[in-house]
Amino acid sequence: MPVDATTDQAEQVVAGSALHAGRLITRIENGHADARAVLRSLAPHCGRAQLIGITGPPGAGKSTLVSALIRELRDRGRTVGVIAVDPSSPFSGGALLGDRDRMVETSSGDSGVFIRSLASRGASGGLAAAVNDAVDVLDAMGKDVVIVETVGVGQGEFEIATIAHTVALVLVPGYGDALQAMKAGITEIADVVVVNKGDTPGAEQTFRELASQGFERTGPDGSRPWRVPVLKASALRREGVAELVDAVDEHHRFTGQTQWRTAHEHARRRARFTAFASDRLREELLEAAVDDRSLADPYGAAEEFVEELIDAHRRLAAQRAAGAAAETEKK
Amino acid sequence: MPVDATTDQAEQVVAGSALHAGRLITRIENGHADARAVLRSLAPHCGRAQLIGITGPPGAGKSTLVSALIRELRDRGRTVGVIAVDPSSPFSGGALLGDRDRMVETSSGDSGVFIRSLASRGASGGLAAAVNDAVDVLDAMGKDVVIVETVGVGQGEFEIATIAHTVALVLVPGYGDALQAMKAGITEIADVVVVNKGDTPGAEQTFRELASQGFERTGPDGSRPWRVPVLKASALRREGVAELVDAVDEHHRFTGQTQWRTAHEHARRRARFTAFASDRLREELLEAAVDDRSLADPYGAAEEFVEELIDAHRRLAAQRAAGAAAETEKK
């Protein structure tokens, strides 16, 4: 893409164009190389949005909760972007799409809301990289809040913690082993816990059981820990949703006052540097390096290739250092 | 790990030690660097096992079907290894573990069976790389058949096609959108289709609907296509399981007679070369290259870093070529 087209793309997104944002995300999803240039232009406009992760097991009512969150946030005058990470299984497609459609319906015609689902297949650099990029697009668009919704199956729920400022874990009433599994999940990723479907039998008991645990998360700077709030909600009836927004905001303020937020942002940038460089190396170097030797002994060939590359990199660095030293001597 | 320890490890696995195979897979799962050396030693002992992928949506009864498959294969005198890919979500843990336990129970005390679940978290090079490695371990152990079971949510079901010789897609009776989604899933990955829970209402209709579609898969060499068989089974009652084994074997023979199998094996080796090299580069080079510049502009810094590396690689290759030419001239 020519430079002016890139700039134009970026400008349109920054101006808030849903059309351009949507197209850019499609290119990110499909792994188009030209999307990178646009993302680079967007970088200075990023970092303003509050990033909220919504995760939990299938059937916990995440999409309905996100719909309710959108309405609550809009009522508070905040603009919202949503990235719904679609597990993109052709087998589970039906139900998920149904929920997504409902979510889109809730907000259709409201330019303060931008909803986009992201399939996990095309993205060459893995889903996390694509989600990170899509979040940047909505951030640069000027959305006050960007919600990332992932199904808590597979690695999704662990990656979301590196993206979102606050992870809200949505659970449904459960007993025995299920309850034990929930506790493990909470200690691993949750900044806020929501027991959804609060009007169903057992919700009160599950809520009390979890609330009595006193879950805490510790930040990187050794400051006072964050007490993970446990809430009860009924997304369908829109009960407990305002409390959820309050809890998420409270966590956001809390981390903003400590080293936590900075550490998070650094980790996110570090992850994209390595993911992006790793992708490019694979495309530009590794795919081309596949030969009979690497087919016969993939491990051995890979090991040698990497050693060779590191060696080449060291030599170049040494030559440069020597060149710079000679240059200094001349003066 | 010293060389003799590596050799000893590899020898124990090749001799069929379940203890050593299990330990090695744990190291693969946790991303231990020393596992690579052992895998390299195992390589010459790999390539004998028939690799079967079992995938499908949650709740399709995959684990129960795998249990039934194990018994059927054992009755036919074949040894079996199973890698059950655990989505490792703490939230869905309960039910899955229950099924797995049942599977282990079916085969406990039978040294002709080795079952291992693989969590998707620790594996640094992504799940596909860890599964590939674990399959190699069971292959080198001498198992006649290695079954890889994955939940068809997320990317799992697409990656399994690059690993297994034959992918059996397990479905349950469904209607409308669900049926359409099934068809899409079949055309994308299935070599064999099993409508499980064949004794439940609607199974016959779903089975007929799918069987009447005439799904086909085309191999890489333009030879005659493979007609995807659609079977009906009840894993719990062990009905249709012998037919499933027959269908999988038929597909295995079919691909063995064409370029298909060779192309598959090459794709698998190519994928591990790039995945392994990519991993090592990330560990050895990229993580160390993160600096203020890459935190400020991750895309730009990554782009420059990769260009620099490619340049260094080209220079080294050119220097070598020049050296080789000078060497030739001398003679």
Side-chain angles (χ1 to χ4, degrees), chain A residues 128-149:
Chain A
V131 173
N132 253 321
D133 290 344
V135 164
D136 271 2
V137 175
L138 303 196
D139 186 355
M141 256 183 106
K143 295 291 174 256
D144 297 323
V145 177
V146 177
I147 298 175
V148 179
E149 180 202 337

Side-chain angles (χ1 to χ4, degrees), chain A residues 34 41 47 55 102 108 120 139 170 192 219 289 331:
Chain A
D34 63 6
S41 304
T55 191
R102 207 176 310 140
S108 62
S120 60
D139 186 355
V170 188
V192 175
K331 289 172 192 167

Side-chain angles (χ1 to χ4, degrees), chain B residues 4-327:
Chain B
D4 53 346
T6 302
T7 312
D8 184 53
Q9 283 285 331
E11 276 170 8
Q12 295 280 1
V13 170
V14 173
S17 162
L19 181 71
H20 286 82
R23 282 187 190 157
L24 179 54
I25 294 176
T26 301
R27 287 209 301 278
I28 290 168
E29 206 173 17
N30 296 330
H32 278 217
D34 63 5
R36 290 170 188 147
V38 185
L39 284 163
R40 240 185 121 172
S41 305
L42 291 181
H45 304 278
C46 293
R48 278 179 278 227
Q50 180 182 350
L51 313 181
I52 305 175
I54 302 284
T55 191
K62 292 180 296 299
S63 291
T64 315
L65 188 63
V66 170
S67 291
L69 274 175
I70 293 170
R71 285 200 288 167
E72 178 66 30
L73 288 162
R74 293 299 294 137
D75 286 353
R76 297 185 186 198
R78 293 154 86 181
T79 57
V80 187
V82 177
I83 300 294
V85 181
D86 196 313
S88 100
S89 165
F91 320 124
S92 59
L96 284 175
L97 289 178
D99 283 351
R100 293 281 145 74
D101 283 350
R102 207 176 308 141
M103 193 156 86
V104 172
E105 213 166 83
T106 311
S107 14
S108 62
D110 177 359
S111 67
V113 178
F114 182 91
I115 298 173
R116 176 60 197 247
S117 68
L118 201 66
S120 59
R121 291 182 55 202
S124 62
L127 184 57
V131 173
N132 252 321
D133 289 345
V135 164
D136 271 2
V137 174
L138 303 196
D139 187 354
M141 254 183 108
K143 294 292 175 255
D144 298 321
V145 177
V146 177
I147 297 174
V148 179
E149 181 203 336
T150 64
V151 175
V153 168
Q155 303 182 294
E157 75 268 29
F158 299 100
E159 286 166 345
I160 203 174
T162 68
I163 297 172
H165 294 136
T166 303
V167 174
L169 174 59
V170 187
L171 300 171
V172 285
Y175 311 91
D177 285 353
L179 196 62
Q180 293 312 313
M182 283 180 202
K183 287 181 192 169
I186 292 167
T187 56
E188 291 199 52
I189 54 152
D191 300 311
V192 175
V193 173
V194 190
V195 178
N196 194 18
K197 306 191 178 178
D199 48 340
T200 55
E204 187 61 30
Q205 201 189 321
T206 302
F207 166 70
R208 278 194 203 153
E209 170 79 21
L210 294 177
S212 71
Q213 295 283 316
F215 297 104
E216 287 191 343
R217 296 182 78 72
T218 316
D221 60 348
S223 64
R224 71 198 157 94
W226 164 253
R227 275 198 59 114
V228 176
V230 178
L231 310 171
K232 203 169 63 172
S234 170
L236 264 179
R237 299 177 180 191
R238 208 179 149 182
E239 286 167 9
V241 178
E243 291 77 1
L244 173 57
V245 170
D246 290 343
V248 167
D249 285 351
E250 174 63 25
H251 177 258
H252 196 246
R253 270 192 300 276
F254 181 87
T255 56
Q257 287 160 1
T258 67
Q259 290 300 308
W260 207 327
R261 183 83 55 77
T262 317
H264 177 272
E265 190 54 33
H266 274 194
R268 203 177 150 219
R269 283 161 176 266
R270 171 189 290 267
R272 27 208 351 195
F273 170 78
T274 55
F276 183 59
S278 192
D279 255 26
R280 296 279 294 147
L281 282 175
R282 184 186 287 248
E283 288 166 14
E284 298 282 328
L285 216 49
L286 298 179
E287 295 289 354
V290 174
D291 56 11
D292 290 347
R293 164 94 178 81
S294 48
L295 291 179
D297 176 13
Y299 292 104
E303 193 77 59
E304 278 166 30
F305 184 78
V306 168
E307 270 165 30
E308 206 179 280
L309 203 58
I310 291 173
D311 183 45
H313 188 245
R314 273 204 207 104
R315 281 175 195 225
L316 187 68
Q319 276 173 16
R320 280 202 187 143
E327 201 62 28

Side-chain angles (χ1 to χ4, degrees), chain A residues 271-289:
Chain A
R272 26 204 357 191
F273 170 78
T274 55
F276 183 60
S278 191
D279 256 26
R280 298 276 295 146
L281 282 174
R282 185 186 287 247
E283 288 166 14
E284 300 282 330
L285 216 51
L286 300 179
E287 295 290 354

